Amino acid sequence: MTSTPARIKFQELISGSKFIPSLGVWDPYTARVAESMGIECVHLGGYQMGAALVTSEPLMTQTEVANITRYVTAAVKIPVVVDVGAGFGEPLHVMRMTREMEGTGAACLQIEDQIFPKRAHYHKGIEHTVSTEEFIAKIKAVVAARTDPSMAILARTDVMRTKGYKEGVECANLCLQAGADMIMCAPNTLKEAENTPKDIEGPVFYINSEGNRFGRPVFTAKEFQELGYRMASYPTALLCPITQEMKRVISNLVENGDTGLPQDKMIGWRDEIEEIIGLDELYKIESDTVESGDMSAPT
């Protein structure tokens, strides 16, 4: 398979020295808004995608993840990192998953060492990881199945939480040796978070969740740069405040009979939406064809 511009861009990002925030999104619109504001890479995390489908990440199917990814990669030009969980099975299933996801245009597949099927208790911090040998076999399965080597592999290990920091670092470095391009892990303390980029022998991707309930530290972009992290996801940065704003507007409507939204500003906000989704281009095509009385094809 021929490399895509987004995959080439992602490889450039992870081989550089600049920290990149990979903002958590869940559909084409949130991805397009992020891109329009200067975000260079977006992250389709399992938590966000599951929430968007009103379910839990462990209950999502491979088909659902692939379909969401196709819509998002069609909407933006920037790289899309997609969470494929535990790969939807054993090495043979992981190979099938890789071929399916490669066709979606994803720039990077994030695969983790959780058991499959994954349990909903994962969201409570109760994690069940497979052996390092089992996980390495899955990493090698992705490497063997992909036809485009520029589609990156982000190996997520939760061993730091289940077995300890030392074991987590060992697992991460073995993943890199097996062909992973980058490591995602979840240090338990500030000290571990500071040491992780020094001890892992490759680019490190951090989970920067302001909504985490496990005491994991949250950093600024400047701090990430100084610590040596290459990327970070922000799984709740959009999802939580957007939900609260929706509830505020709905509450106004239910309790007061109106939304409480300023109409003068709403008109401008709607114009912004039309610009983001590209309506002006569609208007032009129709103006040149069906709305002009001339049914010739657009030039």
Side-chain angles (χ1 to χ4, degrees), residues 77-97:
K77 296 179 180 178
I78 57 177
V80 177
V81 179
V82 58
D83 182 353
V84 294
F88 300 99
E90 297 175 347
L92 187 64
H93 308 93
V94 170
M95 294 182 79
R96 169 69 191 277
M97 176 278 298

Side-chain angles (χ1 to χ4, degrees), residues 44-65:
L44 274 175
Y47 187 80
Q48 301 100 271
M49 290 189 287
L53 296 181
V54 197
T55 188
S56 166
E57 173 189 351
L59 296 178
M60 292 186 68
T61 68
Q62 177 177 304
T63 299
E64 288 170 334
V65 173

Side-chain angles (χ1 to χ4, degrees), residues 206-228:
Y206 191 83
I207 308 163
N208 204 44
S209 174
E210 298 91 341
N212 88 80
R213 295 155 291 186
F214 315 122
R216 286 200 305 266
V218 174
F219 300 106
T220 66
K222 183 175 182 292
E223 290 169 333
F224 277 127
Q225 184 74 51
E226 292 171 347
L227 289 169

Side-chain angles (χ1 to χ4, degrees), residues 258-277:
D258 65 78
T259 62
L261 294 166
Q263 188 172 5
D264 56 337
K265 291 184 179 179
M266 286 287 284
I267 294 170
W269 294 345
R270 177 170 173 169
D271 288 341
E272 286 185 25
I273 292 172
E274 294 191 1
E275 182 178 354
I276 288 167
I277 65 177

